[in-house]
Amino acid sequence: MLLLLHLIIHRNSTCDCSLPAQSCASHSIFVLCVPLEDDSQKESSPFINTDDEEEHYYEGKNMALFEEEMDSNPMVSSLLNKLANYTNLTQGVREHEEAEDGVRRVAVKVPQMGTFIGVYLPCMQNILGVILFLRLTWIVGTAGILGTFAIVSMCCICTLLTAISMSAIATNGVVPAGGSYYMISRSLGPEFGGAVGLCFYLGTTFAGSMYILGTIEILLIYIIPNPTVFPESESSMSNNMRVYGTCCLLLMALVVFVGVKYVNKLALVFLACVVLSIMATYAGVIKTAIEPPEFNVCLLGNRSLNNKMFEICAKTVSVKNVTEFTKLWGIFCKPNATCDDYFDLNNLTEIPAVPGLLSGVIKDNLWGDYGPAGTYLERKSQPSVQVQEASSHMDKPYVFNDIATYFTLLVGIYFPSVTGIMAGSNRSGDLRDAQRSIPIGTIMAILTTSFLYISCVVLFGACIEGVVLRDKFGYSVKNNPVIGILAWPSPWVIVIGSFFSCCGAGLQSLTGAPRLLQAIARDGIIPFLQVFGHGKANGEPTWALLLTVGICEIGILIASLDAVAPILSMFFLMCYLFVNLACAVQTLLRTPNWRPRFKFYHWTLSFLGMSLCLSLMFVCSWYYALVAMVIAGCLYKYIEYRGAVKEWGDGIRGLSLNAARYALIRLEEVPLHTKNWRPQLLVLCKLDSELGVKHPRLLTFTSQLKAGKGLTIVSSVLEGTYMTRGNEAKAGEKNLKAAMAAEKMKGFSHVVVSSNLRDGFSLLIQSAGLGGMKHNAVLMAWPAGGGLVHDSLARRNFIETVRETTAAQQALLVAKNIDHFPSNQDRLTEGTIDVWWIVHDGGMLMLLPFLLSQHKVWRKCKMRIFTVAHMEDNSIQMKKDLQMFLYQLRLDAVVEVVEMHESDISAFTYEKTLVMEQRSQLLKQMQLSRTEREREIQSITDVSRGSVKRKKPSGSPSLNNLCLPEDEAQLIHDRNTASHSTTNERDAKATTDRVHMTWTKDKLVNERNRHREGLGVKDIFNMRPNQTNVRRMHTAVKLNEVVLKKSRKSQLVLLNMPGPPKNKKGDDNYMEFLEVLMDGLDRVLLVRGGGREVITIYS
């Protein structure tokens, strides 16, 4: 076997194996044939292991120190090799053309284009077009030289400022094919990029409609005016435009579908037509200074006449000394010799249509002449006799204004003539030095075309009669284009040149628009456009072409170039606006990656360009501007909510970071006012063994309480070290985000890894949040079995969390039976939210029900506020005061004052306190393993069961039913030596290597003697309860009775949460008090204020 190795010597050159040897030789490619080693050669190898894997390992022996990082951090040589072979051409026109030829070309080196061929000429070809040949003369005649100069100046300045911003973006790195869409999307993010990219696509598509309408207008008016489908009438022209335009569109679409290579090959022909037409126009201007052309206009009085219907501009003519009526007489007069009054009273005059450059007609054309639709085109300086006309003379050969004319309309019609400045950036992949060619070529093209437009404005006004300039279709000059009568040597130069120019521009629009749509679809940011990312086998965007043809047909059905032009002006102006915005944002943010090679830009220029674009949008057509903005806004919101998540390092993200930083600094400068207080929640979640959220209803309740407002941090703690459980922490964060998304909750998720849960919770309470955006309240679930102390570690963690939130002046919300709380799909149609206001906590108990009632789940629940009055209180006055207070707080609630009379402590309360203390004392004295503890407790309860039964009333729990913590057991001799953290760990999980002892009666006696400072185990039942605990238990029992009586059927009960005892010796009893307080209630929210007022009566 032979191993064929291609050693490529020539840089950036590759060779297809199918090429002949001579071809490969021309690329300096050598073929080296090397025999493979057989088994005998392997045995003689100096290496023991010579398999493929080990050979690859040895090949990197010089970089063995970094071999484990090679996958994520490639060698510099590999990186430079990829950069050298990088191509920024997507599957574009050239690749499609190569695929259509059926010949596969491997690494075809195309000669790189310079500034003139690659940027300047394409921009010139796209900028100069249909408006120049068909509408500029009419705009000059209608707006006057000064008005048109203002229009041209505004539009050219707008595009120049946009080109400066575009040059800065285009030279800040490599811009792949995609032009403005790529620049905007990568600078402002996928939302703006997708919205504006689609607007640019629509603008390009409607530009195709405009060019096709221009082509048909030239065809039907100037080339072959006779073959019309519909009979001549007021609407026949529009209907003919629709029929012929549709046929032309289908023909062009077929050409683009069959092969774009034909469009590319004809591009030079179309450019030559534009250049020749402009040269003919300038030549005609020079000729008018020497010899004006022989084109005359027939005026009746001061009104211009359509000389299509007659040849002689006179009422009568002398033929062989016989006076005969002309054809014009027959048009205005009836056979019985009754003529039109205006025709009788005014004379016919024939004036030159092109007086010439030196005629002084420029003075008459300085100012505009606007008018409504149907107005006669009149020469103001020509004398005439006006008559009272009863009806319109649309049947007479007058030349009329076909549409109402005003300045803003002309701006919208003219602006498409300055679009096309993106042609250079779209070809960046073909340029030898794109970062130099794009700015120079684009700006030079804009300056050149601006000079051409301004010079044409002045020259048209200086050479052509004003009444002819206002003749949009050249009816008064025998159906010749007005610019054509100025051209030399013949008007047909303009007709033919403009026809092919419009055809070429239409083909280019139908070629470019589908590829732009395909690029947007392939980015995957707009889900419903994904089908348009597919095409033929060669990548030709077939589906995108079909959509483009459909949209283009809409423009053609409008059948008016003047109506279509403002539509595409809106979309292009919006595109240019966001190019300027992108440059301004990047400049102001000063991101490290913003290093454009084009230095002649400034953010003020970008803002000026952006403002000018926005102004022009509303100047052109305020309703079209609003429609375009609504379309872009809807697309933006759609992409934001439904589009794919893309991170392109865009400026909007940087702007958000800067704004967030500024806001955080501002928030920290001034303390928060009570009126702006809202719960900023830190939600302490627990993850199960599979790192899923154990209580998802905790997140549901958070979303109902927050309604998407304010800060929410959902966090959890994993026990261990970050090195061993780092991946689990990331997976837990991902699960938290998924759970938050499922509940449609906005916020942040964070999972920390700590040596124990207590330290982790403490860390979160202290450090969660940033600057002024820190949490002010902690939400957690009531520990499972907290009152029955199934898990003493969970009990201690809970109590310490209460203490730490109090020390940090943060509010605490504890939800009992959180899994019973309603979901976001539930609707509570009735019921109440009961607030038991025992002590003043800053108003938290008042504010929380109001926030809940804003959510659709709790909206129909009524709010009730209960407060407790003692014997010495005036309950009636308390109710009035509370009602007034709620009225001033603007809260609607039912107020009820509950009187709690002094009563003796019941035997049940006494016995319950005694059992609680006995259990606590048991746990302190008996640090046994699980088996021994169960045996000892069983023996104790067997002895004392009878006495306990005699003491407790019916309904109180027996000691036999007490559930002690399973994981509490440990050896007695460990108690004096274990550290706090070690004890916690041992409390959380009993180790398997613990020493187990078999307890006998003697051993129990010995242990009792060793700990004489404590009570005897069986002597516990002879103890008397602490009076303070008895009073607290009495309060809890009595308050629970009242709450059950009033709020047993309520949807939610909010209670003041008493603080933990300052002396930690009472921690064991604290949870029992809370459990008794909430006994018998389903949904309970314990609320502990943060030590500040959160609600105010002031505005």
Side-chain angles (χ1 to χ4, degrees):
M1 293 177 63
L2 294 179
L3 176 65
L4 188 64
L5 300 176
H6 293 273
L7 303 179
I8 303 173
I9 306 300
H10 192 273
R11 184 185 179 188
N12 293 336
S13 298
T14 60
C15 184
D16 193 351
C17 295
S18 62
L19 295 177
Q22 293 84 352
S23 176
C24 287
S26 66
H27 285 73
S28 304
I29 296 178
F30 301 92
V31 179
L32 177 64
C33 297
V34 182
L36 280 173
E37 294 178 336
D38 54 16
D39 294 338
S40 60
Q41 288 173 318
K42 285 185 178 180
E43 292 176 0
S44 61
S45 172
F47 302 103
I48 297 176
N49 297 321
T50 57
D51 54 20
D52 293 342
E53 183 178 353
E54 292 300 321
E55 284 179 358
H56 289 307
Y57 175 79
Y58 178 70
E59 287 172 1
K61 62 185 184 297
N62 293 332
M63 291 293 159
L65 185 60
F66 301 95
E67 63 187 8
E68 293 183 355
E69 301 177 0
M70 286 298 179
D71 293 336
S72 57
N73 301 327
M75 293 176 61
V76 176
S77 57
S78 303
L79 177 64
L80 295 178
N81 185 43
K82 290 179 181 178
L83 291 176
N85 295 327
Y86 173 77
T87 174
N88 59 1
L89 280 179
T90 58
Q91 180 95 11
V93 174
R94 186 180 303 108
E95 286 79 0
H96 298 156
E97 184 179 333
E98 292 169 4
E100 286 168 2
D101 291 340
V103 178
R104 180 175 175 171
R105 303 170 189 172
V106 181
V108 179
K109 290 295 289 181
V110 180
Q112 297 288 295
M113 292 183 291
T115 303
F116 184 77
I117 300 295
V119 180
Y120 182 77
L121 288 183
C123 286
M124 290 282 291
Q125 183 181 0
N126 280 269
I127 294 173
L128 300 172
V130 62
I131 301 297
L132 171 65
F133 299 119
L134 297 183
R135 291 292 183 270
L136 188 58
T137 54
W138 173 69
I139 293 173
V140 173
T142 305
I145 295 175
L146 296 180
T148 309
F149 181 81
I151 294 173
V152 173
S153 299
M154 282 193 303
C155 296
C156 290
I157 290 173
C158 176
T159 54
L160 180 62
L161 294 175
T162 303
I164 291 173
S165 299
M166 183 198 71
S167 299
I169 298 174
T171 58
N172 186 52
V174 179
V175 177
S180 61
Y181 162 68
Y182 182 89
M183 289 187 288
I184 294 172
S185 62
R186 270 57 177 179
S187 298
L188 294 180
E191 294 87 2
F192 279 109
V196 181
L198 275 184
C199 287
F200 188 49
Y201 162 74
L202 292 174
T204 307
T205 305
F206 276 105
S209 300
M210 185 186 71
Y211 292 131
I212 293 174
L213 288 173
T215 303
I216 302 305
E217 184 176 304
I218 295 170
L219 181 70
L220 295 182
I221 295 179
Y222 305 123
I223 300 179
I224 44 173
N226 295 323
T228 57
V229 178
F230 296 92
E232 189 170 351
S233 65
E234 290 185 12
S235 60
S236 62
M237 184 62 183
S238 298
N239 292 329
N240 288 325
M241 293 276 284
R242 293 184 179 101
V243 173
Y244 283 97
T246 302
C247 295
C248 182
L249 172 63
L250 295 177
L251 181 63
M252 288 184 176
L254 183 63
V255 172
V256 173
F257 179 77
V258 170
V260 294
K261 60 182 178 181
Y262 304 112
V263 179
N264 294 330
K265 290 176 181 177
L266 290 173
L268 191 59
V269 176
F270 300 143
L271 178 61
C273 292
V274 175
V275 174
L276 288 175
S277 300
I278 294 175
M279 291 177 64
T281 303
Y282 279 98
V285 170
I286 297 172
K287 184 178 179 297
T288 61
I290 305 169
E291 181 185 357
E294 296 181 356
F295 281 97
N296 295 320
V297 181
C298 184
L299 299 178
L300 175 60
N302 63 355
R303 298 177 184 176
S304 176
L305 296 178
N306 183 348
N307 56 12
K308 177 183 178 182
M309 302 180 183
F310 59 90
E311 296 293 333
I312 300 172
C313 183
K315 296 181 180 181
T316 60
V317 63
S318 179
V319 180
K320 296 180 181 181
N321 294 326
V322 178
T323 301
E324 295 182 356
F325 294 111
T326 61
K327 190 175 181 180
L328 191 58
W329 179 281
I331 295 173
F332 282 92
C333 299
K334 296 179 180 178
N336 57 3
T338 58
C339 295
D340 182 79
D341 291 341
Y342 190 84
F343 183 77
D344 278 340
L345 297 175
N346 290 279
N347 297 322
L348 288 168
T349 310
E350 201 167 28
I351 62 172
V354 185
L357 189 62
L358 305 177
S359 63
V361 74
I362 188 173
K363 296 178 182 178
D364 299 329
N365 294 331
L366 283 176
W367 308 104
D369 187 6
Y370 302 101
T375 306
Y376 301 111
L377 295 186
E378 299 176 342
R379 190 183 186 215
K380 300 301 182 182
S381 60
Q382 187 78 13
S384 67
V385 178
Q386 300 297 326
V387 296
Q388 188 69 28
E389 295 172 334
S391 61
S392 175
H393 289 72
M394 299 300 291
D395 57 329
K396 300 295 189 290
Y398 293 118
V399 181
F400 302 93
N401 272 337
D402 63 328
I403 59 173
T405 54
Y406 41 90
F407 180 80
T408 56
L409 172 72
L410 301 183
V411 175
I413 293 174
Y414 174 77
F415 188 81
S417 65
V418 296
T419 59
I421 62 175
M422 301 291 181
S425 63
N426 290 342
R427 295 166 176 256
S428 60
D430 299 331
L431 301 176
R432 187 182 303 116
D433 186 0
Q435 297 191 359
R436 177 178 178 273
S437 297
I438 290 177
I440 295 176
T442 304
I443 293 175
M444 287 303 297
I446 291 174
L447 294 177
T448 304
T449 53
S450 300
F451 171 77
L452 288 175
Y453 280 126
I454 292 174
S455 63
C456 284
V457 168
V458 175
L459 293 176
F460 292 165
C463 296
I464 305 174
E465 183 63 47
V467 72
V468 179
L469 286 173
R470 291 191 294 277
D471 186 1
K472 184 187 294 184
F473 304 108
Y475 291 142
S476 61
V477 286
K478 298 187 181 299
N479 273 26
N480 284 304
V482 176
I483 191 175
I485 64 174
L486 183 63
W488 180 86
S490 168
W492 283 100
V493 176
I494 297 295
V495 172
I496 301 301
S498 59
F499 178 79
F500 283 109
S501 172
C502 291
C503 284
L507 284 170
Q508 287 183 346
S509 296
L510 290 178
T511 303
R515 283 165 179 77
L516 177 59
L517 180 63
Q518 187 182 44
I520 298 172
R522 286 182 173 176
D523 263 346
I525 59 175
I526 305 178
F528 69 81
L529 289 182
Q530 289 182 356
V531 65
F532 299 108
H534 308 294
K536 293 196 296 187
N538 62 347
E540 188 74 17
T542 309
W543 293 107
L545 178 61
L546 290 176
L547 180 64
T548 302
V549 171
I551 298 175
C552 208
E553 177 65 17
I554 296 174
I556 290 173
L557 292 177
I558 296 174
S560 172
L561 189 149
D562 301 324
V564 173
I567 297 176
L568 65 100
S569 295
M570 291 303 109
F571 292 123
F572 278 116
L573 278 168
M574 181 166 288
C575 177
Y576 296 165
L577 183 150
F578 281 99
V579 169
N580 285 295
L581 177 62
C583 180
V585 167
Q586 296 281 20
T587 305
L588 290 175
L589 289 178
R590 297 180 181 177
T591 53
N593 190 54
W594 180 247
R595 302 185 301 274
R597 291 191 178 277
F598 180 76
K599 302 299 182 183
F600 304 100
Y601 70 94
H602 196 266
W603 66 268
T604 54
L605 295 178
S606 299
F607 267 112
L608 180 61
M610 183 177 66
S611 305
L612 190 55
C613 288
L614 187 62
S615 302
L616 285 175
M617 286 178 67
F618 283 93
V619 165
C620 294
S621 175
W622 64 268
Y623 45 89
Y624 280 161
L626 291 179
V627 170
M629 288 182 171
V630 168
I631 292 174
C634 292
L635 288 170
Y636 178 92
K637 297 305 292 184
Y638 177 80
I639 297 170
E640 184 179 22
Y641 287 106
R642 296 292 304 275
V645 178
K646 299 285 184 181
E647 177 52 54
W648 288 331
D650 52 88
I652 292 297
R653 187 172 179 82
L655 189 63
S656 301
L657 290 173
N658 272 14
R661 180 186 62 85
Y662 175 78
L664 287 172
I665 293 173
R666 289 281 296 168
L667 283 174
E668 209 168 19
E669 290 176 356
V670 182
L672 188 68
H673 194 275
T674 302
K675 289 187 288 187
N676 295 324
W677 194 95
R678 66 171 64 247
Q680 317 282 11
L681 289 181
L682 170 66
V683 185
L684 300 180
C685 282
K686 189 172 182 180
L687 301 179
D688 55 24
S689 58
E690 297 180 356
L691 301 178
V693 180
K694 190 172 183 179
H695 300 294
R697 288 293 171 89
L698 195 62
L699 303 182
T700 306
F701 182 69
T702 304
S703 67
Q704 296 167 4
L705 184 64
K706 299 288 292 180
K709 303 293 190 300
L711 174 71
T712 304
I713 305 174
V714 181
S715 56
S716 186
V717 179
L718 296 180
E719 281 192 284
T721 63
Y722 189 76
M723 296 301 295
T724 58
R725 305 198 68 180
N727 292 333
E728 294 181 32
K730 293 176 182 177
E733 271 192 31
K734 188 176 180 181
N735 293 340
L736 283 179
K737 288 180 180 177
M740 292 168 66
E743 298 295 338
K744 297 181 180 179
M745 190 176 81
K746 302 291 185 181
F748 308 96
S749 61
H750 190 40
V751 176
V752 299
V753 182
S754 179
S755 57
N756 57 75
L757 295 177
R758 174 70 249 120
D759 293 343
F761 289 141
S762 177
L763 179 66
L764 287 171
I765 292 171
Q766 294 177 60
S767 60
L770 180 64
M773 285 296 286
K774 290 183 70 69
H775 63 278
N776 54 27
V778 177
L779 173 63
M780 60 189 301
W782 177 258
L788 299 178
V789 282
H790 276 309
D791 187 353
S792 61
L793 179 61
R795 178 193 62 198
R796 287 199 296 271
N797 287 344
F798 175 80
I799 296 173
E800 288 302 316
T801 301
V802 176
R803 283 199 174 96
E804 290 195 358
T805 53
T806 304
Q809 294 185 337
Q810 295 172 6
L812 177 64
L813 312 179
V814 181
K816 181 191 176 186
N817 294 332
I818 186 63
D819 295 327
H820 297 176
F821 277 56
S823 67
N824 284 330
Q825 286 71 40
D826 295 333
R827 299 292 181 270
L828 302 178
T829 56
E830 58 181 2
T832 60
I833 300 176
D834 289 352
V835 177
W836 285 85
W837 193 19
I838 311 301
V839 295
H840 181 57
D841 58 352
M844 278 284 288
L845 283 172
M846 308 289 186
L847 186 61
L848 293 179
F850 170 75
L851 295 176
L852 279 176
S853 64
Q854 305 302 304
H855 196 273
K856 54 190 175 183
V857 173
W858 304 89
R859 188 165 294 157
K860 294 186 179 180
C861 292
K862 295 180 180 179
M863 178 178 170
R864 296 194 302 178
I865 295 183
F866 298 89
T867 189
V868 176
H870 300 285
M871 288 295 295
E872 64 273 12
D873 297 327
N874 186 342
S875 58
I876 298 176
Q877 188 61 39
M878 280 182 64
K879 184 174 182 179
K880 290 181 179 179
D881 294 341
L882 184 53
Q883 286 174 338
M884 178 58 66
F885 182 57
L886 291 177
Y887 176 79
Q888 292 175 340
L889 289 176
R890 290 89 64 200
L891 296 176
D892 296 325
V894 177
V895 175
E896 188 170 343
V897 177
V898 178
E899 296 182 355
M900 286 186 64
H901 301 289
E902 295 291 339
S903 61
D904 295 333
I905 297 175
S906 65
F908 170 73
T909 303
Y910 187 88
E911 182 62 31
K912 197 171 185 66
T913 308
L914 177 62
V915 173
M916 176 187 70
E917 292 189 358
Q918 288 173 343
R919 180 178 57 196
S920 176
Q921 196 65 33
L922 274 174
L923 295 176
K924 286 181 181 179
Q925 291 198 4
M926 297 177 60
Q927 304 296 333
L928 310 176
S929 66
R930 178 177 179 178
T931 305
E932 284 74 20
R933 184 187 63 205
E934 290 177 353
R935 291 176 183 173
E936 180 64 16
I937 291 175
Q938 185 63 38
S939 65
I940 294 171
T941 52
D942 288 343
V943 173
S944 59
R945 184 178 297 155
S947 62
V948 174
K949 283 184 177 179
R950 285 192 300 272
K951 289 183 180 179
K952 67 185 180 79
S954 60
S956 74
S958 66
L959 191 61
N960 191 37
N961 295 328
L962 292 178
C963 298
L964 299 179
E966 299 177 354
D967 299 324
E968 182 68 22
Q970 54 187 327
L971 291 178
I972 294 177
H973 59 77
D974 288 342
R975 175 175 153 190
N976 298 324
T977 58
S979 64
H980 176 68
S981 60
T982 307
T983 304
N984 285 343
E985 293 175 2
R986 199 159 47 241
D987 289 342
K989 185 176 181 180
T991 56
T992 57
D993 56 349
R994 186 171 288 162
V995 180
H996 294 279
M997 300 176 63
T998 303
W999 287 87
T1000 63
K1001 184 176 181 180
D1002 295 337
K1003 287 186 177 182
L1004 181 59
V1005 172
N1006 293 335
E1007 288 299 327
R1008 286 176 181 172
N1009 295 333
R1010 289 180 56 190
H1011 300 278
R1012 293 182 180 275
E1013 67 279 5
L1015 291 173
V1017 176
K1018 294 184 180 178
D1019 293 336
I1020 290 173
F1021 296 98
N1022 298 322
M1023 65 183 290
R1024 298 181 63 186
N1026 185 282
Q1027 292 302 312
T1028 302
N1029 290 337
V1030 172
R1031 286 188 290 106
R1032 289 178 179 172
M1033 182 64 74
H1034 175 69
T1035 303
V1037 170
K1038 295 297 291 183
L1039 193 56
N1040 177 256
E1041 290 176 358
V1042 175
V1043 173
L1044 279 178
K1045 181 180 178 181
K1046 298 288 186 179
S1047 303
R1048 184 186 295 273
K1049 295 182 179 181
S1050 65
Q1051 299 290 357
L1052 179 63
V1053 177
L1054 280 78
L1055 285 170
N1056 280 119
M1057 182 179 182
K1062 296 180 180 179
N1063 186 356
K1064 292 189 177 183
K1065 292 181 180 179
D1067 286 357
D1068 297 328
N1069 305 326
Y1070 175 67
M1071 298 294 285
E1072 183 74 20
F1073 294 143
L1074 294 181
E1075 188 68 29
V1076 171
L1077 185 61
M1078 298 183 292
D1079 189 27
L1081 298 173
D1082 185 21
R1083 299 173 187 152
V1084 182
L1085 185 66
L1086 292 177
V1087 180
R1088 183 163 177 78
R1092 64 159 294 166
E1093 293 293 332
V1094 300
I1095 194 167
T1096 177
I1097 63 175
Y1098 299 104
S1099 61

